[in-house]
Amino acid sequence: MPRPSSALLLAGLLAGSAVAHAALPGPFDAMVPRSLPGRPRQWTYASGVAELALAAGVAHPRTRRTAALAAAVFFVGVLPANVKMAADARHGSPAARAATLARLPLQVPLVLWARSVSRNAAGR
């Protein structure tokens, strides 16, 4: 049986990340791949706005299915930033390397979670 709390937890995660992008943009700026046009701060704020919009969409039952599917796509889309972060940490401390490498496979459960929320919302 699907749990509405799963969708609300996903919305909370996205909203929390959006707030972090606005409140502490520096670490997010460092993750932006250099190949993207414009300044990293623009991408940091844009991704925060996207996360906030996704959070609102996932939180609302009427838009949950589409927003959760969009969140899954978003989680795949930010993978290059996580790869860049891991590559940048390769000369850092062992703890930094471990943390950034551990973060990479976390994208998979996030994508699967968002897809599950989307599927569970499809019949509503």
Side-chain angles (χ1 to χ4, degrees):
M1 167 149 297
R3 294 184 186 162
S5 61
S6 178
L8 296 179
L9 286 171
L10 178 60
L13 175 88
L14 287 160
S17 183
V19 169
H21 278 73
L24 299 165
F28 296 99
D29 292 347
M31 293 172 61
V32 175
R34 290 186 185 110
S35 60
L36 291 175
R39 295 190 322 225
R41 183 63 49 96
Q42 294 168 314
W43 288 100
T44 295
Y45 287 152
S47 63
V49 168
E51 286 173 323
L52 193 57
L54 290 168
V58 170
H60 196 284
R62 275 192 161 164
T63 55
R64 182 169 295 150
R65 179 176 164 255
T66 301
L69 189 57
V73 171
F74 178 83
F75 291 140
V76 171
V78 298
L79 183 61
N82 292 331
V83 170
K84 180 186 182 303
M85 183 175 65
D88 289 348
R90 71 186 177 277
H91 301 297
S93 72
R97 281 195 312 268
T100 59
L101 288 174
R103 184 175 176 163
L104 289 175
L106 289 178
Q107 293 302 116
V108 173
L110 288 173
V111 170
L112 295 176
W113 182 16
R115 285 184 58 210
S116 173
V117 168
S118 178
R119 267 192 245 113
N120 290 337
R124 295 175 187 211

